[in-house]
DNA sequence: TTTT
DNA sequence: TTTT
């Protein structure tokens, strides 16, 4: 369509360390879950209520995927801009399922880290996570259907983007 | 969470006339599908490509629900702001399904009509739709599980919001 | 700063045809004024009130400057994203003055045309303006301090971006 | 105008403690300066460059003015949404001057605190500022043209909004 | 699965 | 005047 806008702006915290995989053409793709939450006072009970929303984020933008891989960890707070995209996929029962993701496309999107404590790749996540980087769910030894292991950052300049 | 933001900004066109229902407490709820589209030149084939994305919009905000009911019709272009919300529901097979919607909550959200041609409730939709208002999918005669019929606009001031 | 965001989102109408100039390095820069307006009911008098706000827009992004030069005219409605920037300049009396602009930077920003009627460069602006393109304020014959005349669009692909 | 949008989204840090004044009708108005910054690598020198932008924020929204007065201090990082508004004022030389501000209006705007360390009113600002609250620039003893002293928060519920 |  |  002509003249349309599809923009999502989120500020939230990562639920886990990001996952890194690569497309067949070798492009790095970084995924993570981001939590946002609303709090309000229930009008009837007067109680404080909270609803947490989980968002699936997928980063195709090369520079931002590098930043995400190197600096994002469980618990960190980020600002990001992306677009809504709903994927259709087949469950094992052959039925259609739909998943809506926030995509930071090849050319576009924004990603800014909002808390200052940072952990470079290879370090422990410290207060953010008990798991060392390059382990666990992010490195499954190349099993079918899983993520690739993280790649070296050789060639990424050494600027810390925050 | 504390310090989180969950905001969606869309500019797109309605795929159909909006649907109006009411909650048990009598609150009007207006729903519609909004199309946005990306166009780009395929790098390999050089062809012009287009991807249309459909978004499910749900308006709880009272004032904006009134505007949506009275002035939105199939084809109209709108600007809106809402929040992402994913609902879990059970399919007939008992399986969990998830649907992500853009919600304009009771207190919040924005909705602005961007094309000037307008059709008041009760008129024909003209170029926007062949279906008369107050018919079709929006009025199912009160069947179980369906939408309620649209209500009178008595009490809505007569300002046209665009 | 590290973790900052500076974003403006506007939907409004051009007050005049855009002005096109070129930097010393030959980069095209397109400027225009955009009107937005708020309407509300005055609480005391009950009267309908309106306030129009004028925004100064400056487009450095090459692709968007091309779009702006070719397709934007007085009266057209656009969606745009840019950043706030305040410039300091000296008045003739030697005093400092400040002007705040919305900048679409070299690499970034968005610009989307929201009304469909379009006028290519060289055509009359029709309903949008009585002035022919390539005239008036936009072409001052190269006087000191003025804008350069618009350049040819040779090399701009022929896609209409809306 | 019909169908316009005027929205600013900022994430930045306060340059000083906020200033609190009251309108003639008794409405609290909170003002502060917010810094955002861009960093980039200069293409010619290859040097790291930074440009800080200062934004004038004015909060009319009652709830958000309370939050700003109670919890914002020099150095804190916030997310906010407002609208651009340019005010005309007369300098002492009788000349017109213009100042552009980001306004969080009576009914609207957003303000979210993004760093967790917080200081309630009456406490020292601690790491954020050496100045005690309720002093300095924020309280000028009621001099002509200055801000009023901060008011009591009686009536503000005790929820900490972050 | 996050955060306060 | 902030922050990294």
């Amino acid at each position: 369509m002509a003249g349309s806008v599809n923009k999502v702006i989120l500020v939230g915290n990562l639920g886990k360390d990001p996952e890194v995989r690569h497309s067949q053409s070798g492009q790095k793709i970084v995924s993570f879950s981001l939590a946002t939450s609303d709090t309000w006072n229930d009008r009837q009970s007067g109680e404080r209520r909270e609803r947490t929303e989980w968002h699936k984020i997928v980063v195709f933008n090369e520079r931002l995927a590098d930043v995400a891989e190197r600096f994002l960890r469980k618990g960190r707070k980020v600002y990001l801009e992306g677009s809504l995209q709903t994927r259709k996929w087949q469950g094992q029962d052959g039925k259609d399922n739909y998943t809506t993701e926030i995509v930071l496309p090849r050319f576009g999107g924004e990603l800014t880290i909002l808390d200052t404590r940072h952990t470079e790749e290879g370090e422990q996540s410290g207060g953010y996570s008990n798991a060392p980087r390059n382990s666990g769910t992010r490195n499954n030894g190349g099993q079918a259907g899983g993520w690739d292991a993280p790649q070296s950052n050789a060639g990424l300049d050494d600027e810390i983007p925050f």
Side-chain angles (χ1 to χ4, degrees), chain A:
Chain A
M1 170 181 335
S4 71
V5 173
N6 174 357
K7 175 165 286 281
V8 179
I9 292 176
L10 299 176
V11 173
N13 296 74
L14 276 81
K16 294 186 184 173
D17 285 3
E19 299 185 334
V20 182
R21 60 190 166 101
H22 290 80
S23 69
Q24 288 189 326
S25 63
Q27 187 193 353
K28 187 189 295 177
I29 302 169
V30 179
S31 307
F32 55 90
S33 282
L34 196 76
T36 59
S37 137
D38 273 321
T39 53
W40 70 96
N41 292 310
D42 187 88
R43 286 219 239 164
Q44 308 208 306
S45 69
E47 288 173 353
R48 195 71 181 165
R49 308 241 0 219
E50 173 166 358
R51 178 192 164 92
T52 295
E53 197 68 38
W54 286 98
H55 309 273
K56 298 172 187 297
I57 315 295
V58 187
V59 184
F60 292 95
N61 178 307
E62 202 169 333
R63 184 176 62 82
L64 300 180
D66 283 336
V67 169
E69 182 187 26
R70 290 182 65 185
F71 299 109
L72 293 190
R73 295 293 179 279
K74 178 183 178 179
R76 296 212 65 166
K77 188 185 287 293
V78 300
Y79 170 97
L80 64 83
E81 293 179 35
S83 295
L84 286 170
Q85 207 163 289
T86 298
R87 278 191 304 109
K88 185 181 180 175
W89 52 280
Q90 300 253 338
Q92 291 170 326
D93 55 4
K95 287 206 167 181
D96 287 340
N97 289 274
Y98 296 86
T99 297
T100 298
E101 296 165 323
I102 290 95
V103 172
L104 281 65
R106 193 78 187 75
F107 302 103
E110 293 285 341
L111 178 63
T112 301
I113 301 175
L114 291 177
D115 46 6
T116 322
R117 306 163 284 178
H118 54 268
T119 307
E120 254 280 18
E121 182 186 27
E123 299 179 30
Q124 297 278 128
S125 306
Y128 287 101
S129 166
N130 294 322
R133 234 344 227 144
N134 290 340
S135 74
T137 58
R138 294 208 353 286
N139 185 344
N140 65 2
Q143 296 167 219
W147 304 120
D148 294 335
Q151 299 292 102
S152 148
N153 290 307
L156 218 209
D157 69 64
D158 286 331
E159 300 295 349
I160 297 181
F162 56 94

